[in-house]
């Protein structure tokens, strides 16, 4: 996992060297993804301690944290891609016209 994150960081920084404003989105994505991978690794590889109850009850908060950080990681990706594409343009949807008049 660390190798994948390091490769993504290196490739991302090389591709974004002329766009320093997007580095924050890349860094946010990588940090959230690293935390999500840590949570996933704990779920998969950590020994289950069943002394306090069912293993599924003990793993649920960790699984929830994995989902939250994965979601935040993808929010950073979508935000970065939106900035790369220039975002939604006001010229695409005319404002203040009825739907029938938009075809003109």
């Amino acid at each position: 996992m660390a190798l994948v994150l390091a490769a993504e960081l290196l490739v991302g920084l090389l591709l974004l060297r002329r766009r320093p404003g997007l580095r924050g989105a890349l860094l946010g994505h990588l940090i959230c993804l690293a935390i999500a991978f840590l949570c996933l690794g704990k779920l998969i590889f950590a020994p289950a301690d069943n002394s306090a109850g069912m293993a599924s009850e003990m793993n649920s908060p960790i699984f929830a944290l994995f989902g939250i950080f994965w979601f935040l990681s993808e929010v950073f990706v979508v935000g970065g891609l939106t900035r790369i594409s220039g975002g939604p343009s006001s010229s695409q949807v005319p404002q203040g016209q009825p739907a029938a008049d938009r075809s003109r």
Side-chain angles (χ1 to χ4, degrees), residues 58-88:
M58 302 303 285
N59 289 335
S60 292
I62 299 169
F63 190 69
L65 284 175
F66 164 74
I68 289 168
F69 281 105
W70 183 272
F71 172 75
L72 289 175
S73 169
E74 298 309 313
V75 167
F76 280 112
V77 168
V78 170
L81 290 175
T82 302
R83 282 193 238 155
I84 286 173
S85 69

Side-chain angles (χ1 to χ4, degrees), residues 5-26:
L5 291 172
E8 188 174 352
L9 177 65
L10 180 65
V11 170
L13 288 178
L14 287 175
L15 292 176
L16 298 176
R17 63 182 158 204
R18 293 189 183 116
R19 300 184 107 163
L22 295 174
R23 291 185 187 151
L26 175 68

Side-chain angles (χ1 to χ4, degrees), residues 19-67:
R19 300 184 107 163
L22 295 174
R23 291 185 187 151
L26 175 68
L27 192 59
H29 161 67
L30 291 175
I31 290 171
C32 289
L33 190 62
I35 294 171
F37 280 162
L38 287 174
C39 292
L40 185 62
K42 182 171 173 55
L43 284 172
I44 293 173
F45 299 113
D49 180 22
N50 292 340
S51 63
M54 295 173 51
S56 64
E57 291 173 349
M58 302 303 285
N59 289 335
S60 292
I62 299 169
F63 190 69
L65 284 175
F66 164 74

